[in-house]
Amino acid sequence: MREVVLVYLDRSGGLQKFVHDCKKYNDSKQSYAVYRFIISINPSDIAELDATLGNYILHNPLQAAQIFQSVCFIAIKTLSLIEQLQTEAQISILLKPTHLPPLPSYVLSLSAYPFNYTSQRFYMSEGIVIAMGTVTKYTQGARFLCTEETCPFSEGRFRCIRVHCPGATESATVRTDFVCSLCSSPLQEDMKFRVLGDKQIVEMIDAKILNALKGYSIDKSHFRIQAFTLFLR
């Protein structure tokens, strides 16, 4: 599947954009614990190249991102795109699909019962924004060092890093109770390598509320409308 990913990136122009993004990181004087890349993907085009990979992206996007992560790391090392990069774990890949299959199973509807949305895959959702919060910062990645001086993980390498994953809370990335996996000593964050991003909280309501605003319902049964919260990162 790594070969298919490389072929797709080359054909779609994603590889050229990736090289351009790497150049911006390489020319920057700022030190990064995590290098974040947004890769636009067309699920239909990928499915034509390899059906297994296309299905994997649609239904296991977090695991599919790891395949892209591996390909991008090899490309960076082979072409010497980012001199400061040390480990593959420092690369954070966000897959951004251009569209999803027009099928009911890919539509997130919080008005339908039961709510069978336990899988961490892509969904489409349509609604009306009724409130928006201010744009604030969140931690995309951070580096930690072991507080035990004799531990190899106390050195200035990127062996203990935390990267934000979709659906995770802030405390999953930055906390004060992380311990070293080698010696169990407390870990301390190296603040100069913290990578920040923007986030915004949005309140949405299902588009079916329009029927209620018209003064009538599609059926005569009672119904209730409840807003839901989205985190835009």
Side-chain angles (χ1 to χ4, degrees):
M1 285 193 284
R2 292 185 178 91
E3 295 181 3
V4 179
V5 168
L6 186 59
V7 171
Y8 173 76
L9 291 177
D10 185 34
R11 293 182 181 179
S12 64
L15 187 59
Q16 183 178 359
K17 180 182 180 299
F18 174 74
V19 173
H20 178 72
D21 293 341
C22 288
K23 186 178 186 302
K24 291 193 296 184
Y25 277 125
N26 197 44
D27 295 342
S28 176
K29 296 181 180 180
Q30 182 180 350
S31 299
Y32 293 91
V34 176
Y35 298 87
R36 189 169 183 261
F37 299 94
I38 300 177
I39 299 180
S40 296
I41 55 174
N42 186 321
S44 300
D45 292 345
I46 294 180
E48 290 182 2
L49 287 175
D50 188 276
T52 302
L53 179 60
N55 184 72
Y56 205 54
I57 290 174
L58 288 174
H59 298 93
N60 298 280
L62 298 182
Q63 290 75 14
Q66 295 177 359
I67 301 177
F68 281 78
Q69 178 189 35
S70 178
V71 173
C72 292
F73 177 74
I74 295 174
I76 291 175
K77 286 301 183 182
T78 303
L79 303 176
S80 301
L81 299 176
I82 302 178
E83 297 179 358
Q84 305 93 330
L85 181 69
Q86 296 183 13
T87 65
E88 182 177 324
Q90 287 181 261
I91 300 177
S92 176
I93 300 295
L94 177 62
L95 299 180
K96 186 177 180 181
T98 57
H99 66 281
L100 293 178
L103 300 172
S105 59
Y106 291 95
V107 177
L108 176 65
S109 177
L110 296 182
S111 64
Y113 186 85
F115 308 129
N116 188 23
Y117 301 112
T118 57
S119 63
Q120 294 181 327
R121 65 175 178 87
F122 291 116
Y123 290 98
M124 295 180 291
S125 181
E126 184 181 47
I128 303 170
V129 176
I130 59 175
M132 298 177 64
T134 58
V135 177
T136 58
K137 296 294 183 181
Y138 78 101
T139 304
Q140 292 181 349
R143 181 178 82 161
F144 293 83
L145 297 175
C146 183
T147 55
E148 176 57 52
E149 296 182 355
T150 59
C151 178
F153 286 3
S154 64
E155 301 174 357
R157 293 184 61 85
F158 295 90
R159 294 175 174 174
C160 301
I161 63 174
R162 304 289 298 183
V163 181
H164 178 270
C165 294
T169 60
E170 185 78 5
S171 61
T173 309
V174 179
R175 279 206 314 266
T176 58
D177 58 348
F178 291 132
V179 295
C180 178
S181 59
L182 192 63
C183 67
S184 299
S185 298
L187 293 177
Q188 184 176 9
E189 182 186 357
D190 190 351
M191 292 297 298
K192 64 177 178 290
F193 284 96
R194 178 181 285 195
V195 181
L196 299 178
D198 294 332
K199 74 174 180 180
Q200 187 175 20
I201 298 178
V202 175
E203 287 286 330
M204 289 185 64
I205 201 163
D206 196 282
K208 292 182 179 180
I209 186 62
L210 293 176
N211 293 324
L213 296 177
K214 293 177 182 177
Y216 63 89
S217 174
I218 297 177
D219 54 30
K220 296 182 179 181
S221 61
H222 296 286
F223 67 96
R224 62 190 296 266
I225 300 295
Q226 180 173 330
F228 55 96
T229 305
L230 293 179
F231 288 83
L232 305 181
R233 299 182 183 270

